Amino acid sequence: MKFENWTPENDKFLKIKEIEIHNKYHEDIASSEITLATLFETPTRKFRIDALKEAISKVGAPIQGKVLEVGAGDGWCSAYLCRNYNIDEIFTMEINEAAIHKLIPKVFEVAKVDINKATLILGSFNDIRLKSHFDYVFVMGALHHSSNLYATFKNIYNCLKPGGWLIAQEPYMHNQALNNFYHKREGEEANFKGIAKITNSERTDLFYRECEYRVAGFHAGFDYQSQRVLKPAEKSQLKWYRKIIPENIDKPNNLIVFAQKPMNDQKPVTSWE
C-alpha cells in the first residue's frame, strides 16, 4: 500500500478545526474493534450502500479502472468497491493523519482489500493533483464539507478522464431554505461526536441547497444529474399511492449525484467563473 502527502493544511478553504476534530474522531475509531458488520451492516451504512448502488445503477456502466474516493472517512466505501467490483487501482483520500495512517489501513485489513492496488492520500478535495487520471470519483457524504462547492466540483472534474463519472451521496436543504437558516446555524454550538464543543462557524459542515449542488456541478463542466433518496424510516411513512416524495424544508434531505465529464471536455457556455 502506498501513501502520499498532498498537504491538505495548505487548502485555503479548509478550517483547521475541521481537521482537528476529525483527527481525534478517527483516532478513537481506529483504537476500537472493527468488523465487517460495523463497516457494512449498521443502518446508516446500509442506507449509504443502497444509495451507492442506486447511483451506480443510474450510470449503467461497470465500475472498473482507476477509482478515487475523496473525503473517505474510515474508507468503508473504498473497501466496499474493492470487494464488489473489478478495480485496477483505488486511491483513498482523507484530510487527517489518523484516518490515513491508522484507521483506513485497519479497515482495509478487515475487509481484505488487495493493498497492492491501494494508495492512501493525505489531502483535500480542493487540491487533487492528478489530472485526467480517474474513471470514477466517489464521494459519500463529504461534498457538504466544502467551503467552495464550485472549486471542489472543478477539482473532481479535472481529475476525471473524459467520459468519467462522479458518484456521490449528500445531505441537502430544500431550495426554499432562506439565508437566515444558514446565518443562524453558523452561530450554533454542537457537541461533535462527544469529542469537542464547537460552533458551526469554526468548521466546514454546510448543508447546501439542492440547486447549489446542481449549479456548481454544471458550471464545473459536468453533465449533472441527481435524485432524492429516502432513508428506511422515511419510506415507511409514505403511502403506497403517493407519487411525489415530500421534502423537508427545515432539515436536510438526502441526494444521490451521478455526473459525467463529457467526452469533448468543453468549457460550459453558461459558466461565469
Side-chain angles (χ1 to χ4, degrees):
M1 185 157 44
K2 292 179 283 189
F3 295 86
E4 295 187 15
N5 185 348
W6 290 3
T7 57
E9 64 273 13
N10 294 334
D11 177 2
K12 65 180 181 180
F13 296 119
L14 284 177
K15 294 182 180 179
I16 194 64
K17 286 288 186 182
E18 190 73 30
I19 298 178
E20 289 178 356
I21 59 178
H22 277 88
N23 198 62
K24 179 63 168 65
Y25 176 54
H26 291 148
E27 186 99 42
D28 290 348
I29 299 175
S31 65
S32 62
E33 182 184 12
I34 297 174
T35 66
L36 290 178
T38 59
L39 284 177
F40 304 126
E41 296 179 15
T42 65
T44 297
R45 285 291 159 82
K46 285 183 176 180
F47 164 71
R48 288 197 161 177
I49 289 171
D50 285 346
L52 175 64
K53 290 192 289 188
E54 176 69 14
I56 290 173
S57 73
K58 296 295 183 183
V59 169
I63 305 302
Q64 58 187 12
K66 298 178 179 179
V67 172
L68 168 67
E69 183 190 5
V70 301
D74 64 5
W76 74 266
C77 181
S78 291
Y80 177 85
L81 293 169
C82 289
R83 286 170 61 87
N84 291 278
Y85 298 95
N86 184 25
I87 293 172
D88 295 330
E89 298 177 4
I90 184 77
F91 290 71
T92 306
M93 176 189 285
E94 246 297 334
I95 62 169
N96 64 81
E97 294 189 4
I100 292 300
H101 295 297
K102 296 180 181 179
L103 180 55
I104 297 175
K106 187 173 180 178
V107 166
F108 280 12
E109 181 180 5
V110 170
K112 293 183 169 53
V113 170
D114 183 353
I115 61 174
N116 293 316
K117 296 181 177 182
T119 300
L120 302 187
I121 301 171
L122 182 65
S124 164
F125 49 34
N126 293 320
D127 184 20
I128 303 175
R129 299 180 184 179
L130 295 173
K131 307 303 179 186
S132 300
H133 186 83
F134 297 104
D135 298 286
Y136 290 90
V137 173
F138 289 86
V139 194
M140 300 303 290
L143 289 176
H144 72 283
H145 287 289
S146 170
S147 288
N148 187 315
L149 199 55
Y150 169 75
T152 303
F153 267 103
K154 193 64 180 177
N155 263 269
I156 294 172
Y157 180 91
N158 288 339
C159 81
L160 282 165
K161 298 176 183 177
W165 285 89
L166 162 64
I167 294 176
Q169 181 268 313
E170 292 295 327
Y172 76 96
M173 290 300 295
H174 192 278
N175 289 335
Q176 294 180 17
L178 301 178
N179 285 336
N180 185 57
F181 165 82
Y182 295 96
H183 289 304
K184 181 180 178 182
R185 189 174 182 277
E186 281 279 279
E188 292 175 348
E189 184 180 71
N191 188 353
F192 178 80
K193 310 290 186 182
I195 293 171
K197 290 184 178 180
I198 184 171
T199 61
N200 289 319
S201 62
E202 294 179 283
R203 56 178 305 213
T204 50
D205 186 26
L206 305 168
F207 295 118
Y208 289 98
R209 302 172 184 91
E210 191 279 334
C211 62
E212 292 175 297
Y213 284 109
R214 185 172 294 275
V215 169
F218 275 126
H219 284 213
F222 282 107
D223 286 332
Y224 176 99
Q225 302 175 74
S226 64
Q227 174 183 307
R228 187 183 176 203
V229 290
L230 292 174
K231 292 185 176 180
E234 294 174 309
K235 289 181 181 179
S236 67
Q237 294 169 7
L238 293 178
K239 301 294 185 182
W240 66 270
Y241 55 81
R242 187 175 293 173
K243 296 181 180 179
I244 299 175
I245 298 174
E247 287 185 289
N248 294 310
I249 294 179
D250 59 348
K251 64 180 182 179
N253 302 279
N254 285 282
L255 192 75
I256 55 172
V257 173
F258 38 103
Q260 187 175 32
K261 181 175 181 176
M263 291 297 297
N264 58 16
D265 192 18
Q266 292 179 327
K267 184 175 181 179
V269 173
T270 60
S271 177
W272 62 68
E273 288 81 5

